[in-house]
Amino acid sequence: MTIFHGNPHDTARLPQEQACYALLDALGIPYDRIDHAPAFTMEACAEIDSVFETKMCKNLFLCNSQKTTFYLLLMPGDKHFKTKEVSHALGIARLSFAPEEYLVSLMGLRPGAVTVLGLMNDKEKSVNLLGIAPSVAPVPP
């Protein structure tokens, strides 16, 4: 894998990807990128992150049991996601992974490509952004 700097200016890319680059460019935010297949597992993310020499971040798209409230949870890659703890902190009975169709309709994303930049597609502001701070020491598997 190779690190590239800035916008690839490649019109063959997905419109969502082009929109992310355009937004970052419009805001004057410099960025590096790696072209890779969708990352469905933490192992796939670790391979990508090793090229960047950084710690990975889990991006989880979640919802309540009624599928009426949606959350994008960002958390350290080495931290375990504990549904019960996050549900309790939010004061809701049950939290689960949101179905793919909501990810597509609300954020314009597909599984394996969930990113905070997808919030730019949430015109109705339906998705709540959540974060879990990194712990001092990694959580063992």
Side-chain angles (χ1 to χ4, degrees):
M1 284 187 251
T2 303
I3 296 177
F4 297 97
H5 307 287
N7 193 326
H9 299 289
D10 180 354
T11 57
R13 294 181 182 264
L14 293 172
Q16 300 94 321
E17 185 179 354
Q18 292 177 24
C20 286
Y21 298 139
L23 176 62
L24 293 169
D25 292 344
L27 295 172
I29 299 172
Y31 55 94
D32 293 333
R33 62 182 173 76
I34 296 174
D35 292 334
H36 61 84
F40 294 107
T41 65
M42 291 314 294
E43 291 77 21
C45 292
E47 183 181 339
I48 297 162
D49 290 343
S50 69
V51 177
F52 274 125
E53 298 179 354
T54 187
K55 286 189 169 200
M56 68 184 85
C57 177
K58 289 180 188 175
N59 302 312
L60 306 175
F61 186 58
L62 309 166
C63 66
N64 63 354
S65 59
Q66 298 82 13
K67 297 177 183 65
T68 56
T69 307
F70 299 90
Y71 305 92
L72 176 61
L73 175 64
L74 309 181
M75 61 185 291
D78 61 356
K79 194 169 180 88
H80 292 289
F81 171 58
K82 297 182 180 174
T83 307
K84 185 176 181 179
E85 289 179 12
V86 177
S87 295
H88 179 72
L90 292 173
I92 60 176
R94 185 171 165 264
L95 193 64
S96 62
F97 289 98
E100 179 179 350
E101 61 265 22
Y102 291 99
L103 179 61
V104 173
S105 67
L106 296 174
M107 295 181 62
L109 302 174
R110 298 269 178 210
V114 177
T115 171
V116 70
L117 289 172
L119 291 174
M120 68 185 228
N121 300 318
D122 182 18
K123 304 301 183 200
E124 302 299 319
K125 299 187 181 359
S126 302
V127 180
N128 300 285
L129 180 61
L130 304 173
I132 294 179
S135 57
V136 176
V139 176

